[in-house]
Amino acid sequence: MSGSGGDGMKCTLRLHFMCGRNLPIGDRIRKSSDPYVRIDVVNPMGESLDGDILATGRTRTIKQTLNPMWDETVLLPFRCPATDAEYVQVRLAVYDQDTFTSDDLLGTVE
């Protein structure tokens, strides 16, 4: 971890994703999406402009739906910030997975 020498203790974030409802259309031809969720655990006090990413993960992709049912647990191990003044932020981004072009961002939450 930048700035702390990696002195934080080992932590694990456990997230359980149930479902999504009424997601935006990512594929205009099929009028559907192939959604997945990307998870970033971030130290916002880090040296980079958007904070230092401590861990990244994702759910599986659910094909051709605007109402995905994941019912999936994601475990993200990372080094906790070294001091009480630091904290972590969880950023979630839902994407439509595409085969031949870059994935489309459907929405985010922090």
Side-chain angles (χ1 to χ4, degrees):
M1 185 168 80
S2 296
S4 69
D7 296 335
M9 63 184 198
K10 293 179 183 177
C11 296
T12 299
L13 178 66
R14 178 182 176 179
L15 297 169
H16 189 81
F17 294 88
M18 292 298 297
C19 62
R21 299 249 195 279
N22 302 315
L23 297 180
I25 294 172
D27 184 343
R28 301 278 179 225
I29 295 170
R30 292 183 315 188
K31 294 183 173 39
S32 188
S33 289
D34 299 325
Y36 68 90
V37 180
R38 177 186 159 134
I39 308 109
D40 290 328
V41 179
V42 179
N43 176 0
M45 307 300 284
E47 294 176 2
S48 71
L49 198 54
D50 290 331
D52 294 337
I53 295 178
L54 304 175
T56 289
R58 61 168 282 175
T59 64
R60 70 186 188 283
T61 300
I62 308 295
K63 297 289 188 180
Q64 297 184 9
T65 184
L66 300 179
N67 299 294
M69 294 291 295
W70 285 287
D71 195 16
E72 176 179 352
T73 299
V74 176
L75 299 174
L76 295 171
F78 64 97
R79 286 255 178 220
C80 292
T83 69
D84 290 339
E86 295 180 285
Y87 58 94
V88 297
Q89 186 176 57
V90 178
R91 297 178 183 165
L92 305 176
V94 180
Y95 287 92
D96 168 49
Q97 187 172 21
D98 292 323
T99 304
F100 300 110
T101 59
S102 60
D103 295 349
D104 304 312
L105 180 64
L106 300 177
T108 62
V109 66
E110 291 187 16

